Amino acid sequence: MIKQFVTEEACLRCQGCCRFSHQDSVWSPCLLEEEIQVLLDKNIPPACISLEKRIAPILESNGEGFICPFLNKESNKCAIYDFRPFECQLYPFLLNLRHNKVLLTVDLHCPYIKEKLNTPEFKEYVRHLALFLNSAKQKRTLKDNPQILAAYEEVLEIIELEGPDEIK
């Protein structure tokens, strides 16, 4: 598990993440190969996983937009929180692929990030993530799961990470 930056209280108040404007949104979390097997072993319906190795959002009950199939709208809690995917653990930080470089970015739509962006707490967490993501184990994970690197728009680039080809 990745140490969370956003507090649980802030997450539960927010109505932003886990909701998507369209079904094939780049914002829908990508799954690592081993996460797909864990979900299937936990009897998660295969229909919740897209062919692109993403969580497959479902149409909102009001017909406007899509929602993660694991989000309980009443409590705003995740039904698979204890074994949620890597990208969900990392969020609002994202791994962005731009010009063949792996960048750690952050989603500025997250209200908690907007509040904490220029704080020592934020800078310390970025250092923590950079060390974690630049470890040999994580670089191997990225190399084995290229689908986890996406081209997100409207994000703040924080730092360039060592590429997965630079495994030591």
Side-chain angles (χ1 to χ4, degrees), residues 16-31 39 44-61 63-71 73 80 85 87-88:
C17 59
C18 307
R19 294 159 180 85
F20 315 98
S21 59
H22 52 282
Q23 194 166 26
D24 61 349
S25 173
V26 69
W27 295 94
S28 178
C30 249
L31 299 166
L39 291 172
I44 298 298
C48 292
I49 303 168
S50 76
L51 295 175
E52 294 80 29
K53 300 179 184 176
R54 292 187 173 280
I55 290 179
I58 56 174
L59 187 63
E60 284 261 29
S61 56
E64 296 180 19
F66 294 83
I67 190 168
C68 177
F70 306 116
L71 181 67
K73 284 181 61 172
I80 62 168
E87 276 202 326
C88 297

Side-chain angles (χ1 to χ4, degrees), residues 126-167:
V126 167
R127 278 192 288 278
H128 163 77
L129 272 184
L131 285 171
F132 173 73
L133 294 168
N134 281 323
S135 71
K137 180 182 179 197
Q138 292 308 314
K139 287 193 285 186
R140 197 167 297 109
T141 296
L142 295 180
K143 186 174 187 159
D144 293 345
N145 294 276
Q147 74 276 10
I148 204 90
L149 302 173
Y152 297 99
E153 298 297 329
E154 298 180 32
V155 294
L156 176 67
E157 293 178 8
I158 301 174
I159 58 171
E160 183 178 340
L161 299 170
E162 296 174 15
D165 292 330
E166 300 168 29
I167 296 174

Side-chain angles (χ1 to χ4, degrees), residues 25-38:
S25 173
V26 69
W27 295 94
S28 178
C30 249
L31 299 166
L32 304 176
E33 293 294 335
E34 58 268 21
E35 291 171 339
I36 293 170
Q37 192 57 53
V38 167

